[in-house]
Each structure stands twice: as C-alpha cells, then as structure tokens.
Amino acid sequence: MPSVSSRANRGWWDGNADDYQVEHGDFLRDSGFVWCPEGVDEADAHLLGQVRGRRVLEVGCGAAQCARWLVTQGAEVAAFDISHRQLRHSQRIDLDTGLHVPVVQADAEALPFADTAFDLACSAFGALPFVADPLAVFREVRRVLRPGGLFVFSVSHPVRWAFPDDPGPRGLTSDRSYFDRTPYVERDEHGTPTYVEHHRTLADWVNLLTASGLTITGLLEPEWPEGHEQVWGGWSPLRGRHLPGTAIFSCSRT
C-alpha cells in the first residue's frame, strides 16, 4: 500500500516533470551525472569508482540523465522512478541521443529487483528526501547490492532545514529548529497532501544507514565553486558561501 508521501509525490512529479526538465535540463545534461546544485560531476569526482562492466542501479532517476551517462561509461544500468511522466522524459531523451536506459516505475520502499543484482547503486537527490520510511529504502538497496557493493547518494544537507528555502539574504537567518522533524507538506483545497518532503538530521541519516546494515565509508559536503552563478531553488552562490547545501554519503554493503 503506497504511503501518503508516495501518493502525494507521485502526483506532484507527474504534474511538474515537464517544467522541471525545461528549467533544469540544460544543467543536468541529457547524458551527464551531476550530483547536486553545486555542480559536482561524477566525471570528475569518481565517487562510484570504476563503473565499466559493473551492474548499476539508479534510485529515483527522474529522466535518467545520470544513468544515461553511466551507459556511456560502459556500465550495465537499470533505473527507476516513482513518476511515470519523468520516465516519459527518459524515453524522449533516449530517442534524441540514441542511448537506451532500461527504466521501470517503482517505489523506492519496495524495489522490483532481485537480491544481489547490482554492484553499485546511486541516487542524486532521488527518492530519499521524499519517502516516509528511508530505513525501508536503505534495506532494499542493501538487499539488491552484492556483498561489497557500493551505494552513493546525495540529499539536501540537513542543516538547511533550519533556514528558509530562499536563495537571497533571508535564507541566511535560521527561523526554525534543526531538530524539528515535522515534514514539509503542501495540500490541495480538500486538505489532501500533494507534496511531502521529510527532514532528517545528520545523526538520523547515520543511524538509519547503520540500522540498515550499510557501512558509511565517506561523506562529502561540497563547497560552492568559484564562478558558479546558477541559482537552483534555495541553492545560490550567496548561501553556498556560508552554508552547506548538499550531503553526499558513500556506503558499502559488507
């Protein structure tokens, strides 16, 4: 049974996928692996290590830009997203580029893949900020990874929750508690949730990963690079010079 968060976010992404791809498509590139609004590129960062010949799963792929780049690097890739409309954009880009990414519509809390099917898993702001039960996602990712497999994912840096989601000066002053884990919820005129995003503290992420049986091997807090002037929602050069905007966790299945 899909959770309230899953139902709301499936509908939201189906309704907003077109605008999202128009607004961010150039930055993401049809075949490019950008981890975060700071612009960390897997081609330079190598957080996944050698991918050629490896079986890779992209979690919450959107239009599968990251997965498509992995295909160009010789990986065997599968990808999924909760949004059918996002996957239609993946099909469109496949036709435009001549690159093919196998995609499936699925909920990250219940993956339709076999045990130990993948060598690597990755997620660039996919699924995890929006799920009600991240422990279920981590356990599912661990299940589909082979022993020794690697999972790397990026999410909004937890400290951002204490600040307004504003790229300007207002976004530099905390106006809520970092420890308030009340989800951010948008509702329609009937009170039905139409968008849900969940906050976890840094300790929450660490403890959830530990409880799932994954071992944290690294944490990257990207600094805002010189010359990068693009604003993405609440991410901006102004805020990026003062506050971390993204956390990228590297984990392994032992």
Side-chain angles (χ1 to χ4, degrees):
M1 186 76 173
S3 68
V4 170
S5 294
S6 293
R7 289 194 299 272
N9 288 319
R10 179 184 293 115
W12 192 91
W13 282 105
D14 279 347
N16 288 274
D18 294 358
D19 290 342
Y20 179 87
Q21 294 300 330
V22 167
E23 183 176 359
H24 301 299
D26 288 345
F27 182 73
L28 296 173
R29 306 191 309 276
D30 287 347
S31 175
F33 199 135
V34 182
W35 282 105
C36 53
E38 290 87 350
V40 176
D41 196 310
E42 178 59 16
D44 303 316
H46 305 294
L47 297 177
L48 295 174
Q50 175 57 253
V51 299
R52 182 169 299 277
R54 312 294 293 279
R55 297 166 297 167
V56 187
L57 173 66
E58 185 178 5
V59 175
C61 66
Q65 286 95 337
C66 297
R68 200 168 291 104
W69 179 85
L70 290 166
V71 169
T72 70
Q73 304 304 300
E76 300 176 27
V77 184
F80 75 89
D81 199 89
I82 199 169
S83 166
H84 179 262
R85 187 61 183 171
Q86 286 279 51
L87 298 180
R88 289 299 301 271
H89 281 285
S90 178
Q91 288 182 316
R92 170 184 58 80
I93 298 172
D94 281 355
L95 292 172
D96 289 344
T97 62
L99 298 167
H100 175 64
V101 178
V103 295
V104 64
Q105 185 175 13
D107 191 317
E109 296 176 31
L111 300 183
F113 302 103
D115 295 358
T116 66
F118 298 98
D119 302 301
L120 301 167
C122 59
S123 183
F125 279 81
L128 284 162
F130 310 105
V131 296
D133 188 358
L135 181 57
V137 178
F138 290 148
R139 284 174 171 162
E140 281 289 86
V141 170
R142 184 184 185 278
R143 178 183 64 79
V144 302
L145 281 175
R146 64 165 177 79
L150 179 67
F151 178 38
V152 183
F153 68 93
S154 59
V155 292
S156 296
H157 197 288
V159 76
R160 284 171 52 89
W161 197 260
F163 295 81
D165 195 29
D166 187 319
R170 180 172 166 267
L172 297 177
T173 302
S174 174
D175 65 353
R176 70 206 73 182
S177 171
Y178 169 76
F179 300 103
D180 182 359
R181 295 167 177 84
T182 305
Y184 170 76
V185 181
E186 296 177 3
R187 302 177 186 273
D188 63 18
E189 63 273 18
H190 307 294
T192 303
T194 57
Y195 177 92
V196 183
E197 191 166 343
H198 296 269
H199 167 54
R200 282 100 195 180
T201 67
L202 195 61
D204 290 340
W205 286 119
V206 170
N207 292 331
L208 287 162
L209 287 164
T210 300
S212 75
L214 292 167
T215 299
I216 298 172
T217 58
L219 173 61
L220 176 63
E221 298 172 304
E223 297 185 38
W224 195 271
E226 286 293 328
H228 179 36
E229 298 300 321
Q230 183 159 340
V231 173
W232 182 318
W235 285 264
S236 67
L238 174 64
R239 295 188 77 198
R241 286 192 289 268
H242 293 275
L243 297 168
T246 299
I248 307 177
F249 292 84
S250 296
C251 320
S252 64
R253 176 187 174 176
T254 53

